[in-house]
Amino acid sequence: MERQRTAVVSGGGTGIGRAIAAELAGEGYRVAILGRRAEVLAQTAAAIGAGVVPVAADLTVAAEVERAAGEIAALGPVDVLVNNAGAVITPPADAGLAALAEAWRRDLDTNLLTAVLLTTALAGHLRRPGGRLILISSAAAQRGGAGPHSAGSYAAAKAALHGWAFGLARQFGPDGITVNVLAPGYVADTEIFGADWSEEFHAGKVAATLVGRAGTPEDVAAAVSYLASPRAGYLTGQIIGLNGGAVLGR
């Protein structure tokens, strides 16, 4: 009997992560979803159905990552690891350098360190050969940050994933593990682009695309499905834009 494949999705309780988890579960994966909010994870697992395992952990805390990695390792080899956890951090509390430094550190912890810690903790458990490591970045990493949040720290944190991913691709390539970055643009129905954004903001984001629509979490999940598949075994070390043409390829 063929072994059931295992996937891990951080930030798997809502939005893009939830859509990715549902996509992979529908393809027969056992999916471990990680996030800070145990109740949200449990609700998502129940909604998607059998085979989804909620693992609550703050991925910025090393001890919690180690504990979560132990729970995941008990499921068997990890076929697919999707580092999706991240968020736009609130602006600095005031105009001082101390507040700015605190906001930048929060953004780096949330959008970069989460992926570094979880990947490092699970590196020895990735399937060899054939494992898939996927990092979810942002179009902001390619075009630069904008808006009032943290003076660009979100874009900087996501861009840091890119250089790190290139090194991971070199490290894991000889083991038959691929490493790729998916950089979505404007994706509606997520916590990053929430209800507090204006209609003008939404309209502007759609107008910036070439296809005339916002992305959906399911668009991202479909791309992850391909990157996770055996068909993508020759694709590694790439930054893949998924933005409706708002940022053209380089």
Side-chain angles (χ1 to χ4, degrees):
M1 181 178 297
E2 184 179 356
R3 177 183 63 85
Q4 184 178 22
R5 297 168 295 172
T6 297
V8 178
V9 182
S10 68
T14 62
I16 288 173
R18 176 173 175 148
I20 293 170
E23 178 79 17
L24 296 178
E27 294 175 3
Y29 285 88
R30 175 173 45 196
V31 184
I33 55 174
L34 291 91
R36 292 180 292 106
R37 297 171 292 181
E39 182 178 351
V40 171
L41 294 175
Q43 292 171 350
T44 294
I48 294 175
V52 179
V53 181
V55 180
D58 183 340
L59 298 181
T60 68
V61 178
E64 293 200 29
V65 175
E66 290 176 343
R67 187 258 306 158
E71 294 181 28
I72 292 167
L75 301 175
V78 175
D79 297 87
V80 180
L81 171 56
V82 183
N83 281 293
N84 169 71
V88 175
I89 301 303
T90 55
D94 56 51
L97 287 181
L100 182 64
E102 181 182 356
W104 271 74
R105 290 191 182 101
R106 289 200 308 268
D107 245 336
L108 290 167
D109 283 353
T110 301
N111 294 290
L112 174 62
L113 189 64
T114 53
V116 172
L117 292 180
L118 184 61
T119 299
T120 302
L122 290 177
H125 302 287
L126 292 172
R127 182 161 65 88
R128 291 165 167 79
R132 300 284 186 263
L133 176 54
I134 302 165
L135 308 174
I136 305 298
S137 173
S138 169
Q142 299 170 305
R143 66 173 177 235
H149 53 275
S150 301
S153 57
Y154 173 78
K158 288 297 191 182
L161 291 174
H162 297 188
W164 180 56
F166 295 150
L168 290 177
R170 293 180 183 278
Q171 175 185 344
F172 290 127
D175 293 331
I177 297 170
T178 65
V179 182
N180 290 290
V181 177
L182 194 59
Y186 175 49
V187 178
D189 301 321
T190 67
E191 292 184 339
I192 286 182
F193 297 110
D196 56 332
W197 297 91
S198 68
E199 287 299 319
E200 290 77 14
F201 172 86
H202 288 277
K205 288 293 186 181
V206 169
T209 72
L210 301 181
V211 297
R213 71 170 179 88
T216 68
E218 289 72 27
D219 288 326
V220 183
V224 169
S225 173
Y226 170 70
L227 293 175
S229 74
R231 295 171 295 167
Y234 197 56
L235 179 63
T236 195
Q238 303 303 311
I239 311 298
I240 301 167
L242 184 69
N243 54 57
V247 179
L248 299 180
R250 293 173 172 81

